[in-house]
Structure formats: C-alpha cells, structure tokens
Amino acid sequence: MCLRPKLPAHSILSIQYKSCRQNRHQIDTKCQYKCKVGYHIMGGHKKKRIFKKTCLNNGSWTQQACQMVSCKPLSDPRFLGLYNCTNNFMYKSSCKLKCPGKKKFSSMMRCNNKGKWVGSFRNCAFAKNYRCPAIPNTQKYTITCNNGRGIGGICQVVCKDSAKLPKLVKNGETGLFKELLKSDYGFHYRINITCIGNRQWFPSLDNIDCVYQCDQSSMMNNICDPHTNTRECGYDLGLCCGDPYRSESTIAYSAHCSRFPKRMCSCIEKRPNWRHKKKSKFSQYKTWSFRKNKLQILN
C-alpha cells in the first residue's frame, strides 16, 4: 500500500485521476500527470508531456519528473558574442542582438513552449577591418587559416606532436559559451575555430589541449602507460592497478613512467569494489572489477 503521491514539480494531476488525492492506495494503482506548458517528460521528447506513476510493492511510487523545454543553441558565428539571452536557450528566454557600433538592440528571438525560436536576427553590417586577431603558431599547435579572419572565417588547429590529438577542455566558461561547448568534449583529428561576431575566436585556444590519443596496441600490452591512463582511454583498461591476466597484483610499468609525474602511472581508483561504468569508445573490450588488489574480467 502507498501513501498519497506527491505532485511532481511543474505538473498537474489529470482530471480523470482525482482518486489519486486519497491518502492510501493499493499496489499497482496508477496516477496520471501532465507537465505544464513549457515542460516535458525528463529525458523524453519535447512533445511528450503525459506520464503515469505506479504504486510499487515496497510502498513507493515510480519516479518521473518534468523538465523545461529548451531550444537549439544559436550557434551562427555571425552573431556569437553579440547577443544576450535572459535564460540561455530555455523556454521563454529572449535573446537580443546588438550589432557593433549600435546603441540599441537591432533584433530579438524568443524560445517558445515547443522548443522553437520565434523571430530572427538581422544581419549586422561589418566594416572591412572588423575581423579577428591573427593567431601565431605555438609550440603546441599548427594553425591554418584558408579563408581569412573576417566574421565567419574558419581556422584549423592541429597538434604538432603526431602522437597527440586536439581535444576541447573546460576552462571556466559560463553562460552561453558553456552551453555551446558542453556536448563536444571529445577527440578530433583537427578542431575548427571560427571568428565570431565580437571578433574573438571560438572556441578559444584556452579551450583546446593536445592529449595523447588512445593507442589500442599499448592498451592491450599488460603494461601501465601514462599516455593511456586517462578517463578517455578507460584508465589503460586498469593496467595501472594490476595485471588482469595474472592472479598476482604485480604491475609492469612503461619506461615513460620515469619521465612523467608519478600520479600519471598510479591506480586512479583504489576502492575495493570499484567498477568503471562509463566506458569510452576506446575501452569497449572488457569491464574491469578491482577486488583485493586483483583484476577480474566481468562478462
């Protein structure tokens, strides 16, 4: 038996389920709710707003919630850095564009309850000398710009060390830029940076790092290697915590370990029942379980 279910945030109880307001309910009782306008079922499609909660054998209700509708990020490089939004790209958020040299906002867009933008930004008239600063090559990167440094211009960033790949990293970004970057912290052979409306390169070089790529052959050689003892490489398949093919906990270290900080060749997780749940595309071979300083293969 379950007590009266709590009303999920940002939802209303369906009219035909008024009995759900009673204090006690039998097992398998169902109560139906509808997310309010501008909200949808958490983790579901934006159009799905109706859901049910069921009374379970243990006296609890199945969990479901509503989340606010969001619109696609406004990623057109001509406007990046020139507009401000009241609530990023969420429902009811208004984004106003202010062109360079203008005192007033020139146009506005608004995110509606269906996750669509209403309105559009009008193009700004950029002067010929309105462009992004030149980017010198560094010891870390080689940068190639084939179509100039004007607004919308694109440059390619490649790591000079052929054993490394460029990767977007978090560097304290907030607000709109954080929203635009959050889904792309992966490996790339090259990363494009774009000259955006406020004459900055996006993403900035501060958000790009060169890291060793996951060499599958070195990940299967039973040797702890600092290059692959990272989250992206599945922490070298756990080899820095012991040898998965032997019963003893002897660890074989790569020669690189003597030239890297000690922590890069250490066992990242030391809890006895740790299990690496979030596997990257480079660690699809096995799932490792660390028990009593030994490694076991979990099927």
Side-chain angles (χ1 to χ4, degrees), residues 196-211:
I196 62 176
N198 62 353
R199 292 192 293 184
Q200 294 181 9
W201 292 103
F202 180 81
S204 70
L205 290 181
D206 292 337
N207 285 114
I208 301 175
D209 193 13
C210 286
V211 297

Side-chain angles (χ1 to χ4, degrees), residues 46 67-75 87-90 167-186 188 202-203 207 231 278:
K46 294 178 182 178
Q67 69 181 64
M68 186 178 287
V69 169
S70 62
C71 290
K72 290 184 178 180
L74 300 173
S75 55
N87 188 23
N88 287 348
F89 308 124
M90 307 305 292
K167 182 178 182 293
L168 286 175
V169 295
K170 299 178 182 179
N171 192 32
E173 57 283 338
T174 58
L176 300 176
F177 283 7
K178 183 178 181 180
E179 290 292 315
L180 291 167
L181 282 171
K182 70 178 181 181
S183 62
D184 197 21
Y185 292 106
H188 303 266
F202 180 81
N207 285 114
R231 178 180 178 180
K278 186 173 182 180

Side-chain angles (χ1 to χ4, degrees), residues 28-279:
D28 290 332
T29 298
K30 298 184 184 299
C31 294
Q32 182 172 290
Y33 301 88
K34 185 176 182 180
C35 296
K36 293 181 179 179
V37 175
Y39 293 83
H40 63 92
I41 299 174
M42 184 170 290
H45 191 274
K46 294 178 182 178
K47 292 183 178 180
K48 292 186 177 181
R49 297 171 54 197
I50 297 175
F51 62 94
K52 291 181 180 180
K53 299 180 71 172
T54 305
C55 176
L56 302 177
N57 293 331
N58 60 5
S60 65
W61 293 87
T62 54
Q63 297 298 313
Q64 187 59 277
C66 299
Q67 69 181 64
M68 186 178 287
V69 169
S70 62
C71 290
K72 290 184 178 180
L74 300 173
S75 55
D76 191 320
R78 295 171 299 171
F79 306 127
L80 283 179
L82 297 179
Y83 64 82
N84 292 314
C85 298
T86 55
N87 188 23
N88 287 348
F89 308 124
M90 307 305 292
Y91 168 56
K92 285 188 177 181
S93 178
S94 297
C95 299
K96 296 182 178 180
L97 176 71
K98 186 177 182 181
C99 292
K102 303 294 183 179
K103 294 182 179 180
K104 297 182 178 180
F105 292 103
S106 58
S107 51
M108 182 181 74
M109 297 177 69
R110 186 173 182 271
C111 180
N112 68 12
N113 64 329
K114 297 180 180 179
K116 303 289 185 181
W117 288 106
V118 178
S120 61
F121 287 155
R122 292 194 293 269
N123 288 334
C124 296
F126 298 110
K128 290 183 178 181
N129 61 348
Y130 191 87
R131 56 184 182 177
C132 288
I135 310 174
N137 287 326
T138 66
Q139 294 181 349
K140 186 182 294 186
Y141 318 107
T142 296
I143 300 171
T144 306
C145 301
N146 294 322
N147 57 351
R149 295 183 282 115
I151 304 302
I154 296 175
C155 295
Q156 292 184 340
V157 179
V158 179
C159 295
K160 288 186 174 180
D161 188 340
S162 60
K164 295 182 178 182
L165 291 175
K167 182 178 182 293
L168 286 175
V169 295
K170 299 178 182 179
N171 192 32
E173 57 283 338
T174 58
L176 300 176
F177 283 7
K178 183 178 181 180
E179 290 292 315
L180 291 167
L181 282 171
K182 70 178 181 181
S183 62
D184 197 21
Y185 292 106
F187 282 100
H188 303 266
Y189 287 104
R190 64 180 61 85
I191 289 180
N192 290 337
I193 57 175
T194 305
C195 179
I196 62 176
N198 62 353
R199 292 192 293 184
Q200 294 181 9
W201 292 103
F202 180 81
S204 70
L205 290 181
D206 292 337
N207 285 114
I208 301 175
D209 193 13
C210 286
V211 297
Y212 283 99
Q213 55 186 308
C214 299
D215 183 357
Q216 296 183 12
S217 61
S218 67
M219 292 168 65
M220 300 296 289
N221 61 2
N222 302 345
I223 298 175
C224 171
D225 194 306
H227 296 162
T228 50
N229 190 27
T230 62
R231 178 180 178 180
E232 293 80 13
C233 299
Y235 300 114
D236 204 12
L237 299 183
L239 291 172
C240 294
C241 294
D243 191 331
Y245 301 103
R246 301 176 185 175
S247 59
E248 66 269 17
S249 58
T250 303
I251 301 176
Y253 293 97
S254 164
H256 296 293
C257 288
S258 62
R259 300 193 295 271
F260 281 77
K262 185 177 180 180
R263 59 180 173 78
M264 296 187 68
C265 288
S266 62
C267 179
I268 303 298
E269 278 287 353
K270 297 181 180 180
R271 286 178 290 174
N273 293 318
W274 180 83
R275 178 171 178 164
H276 187 63
K277 295 181 179 178
K278 186 173 182 180
K279 296 184 291 184

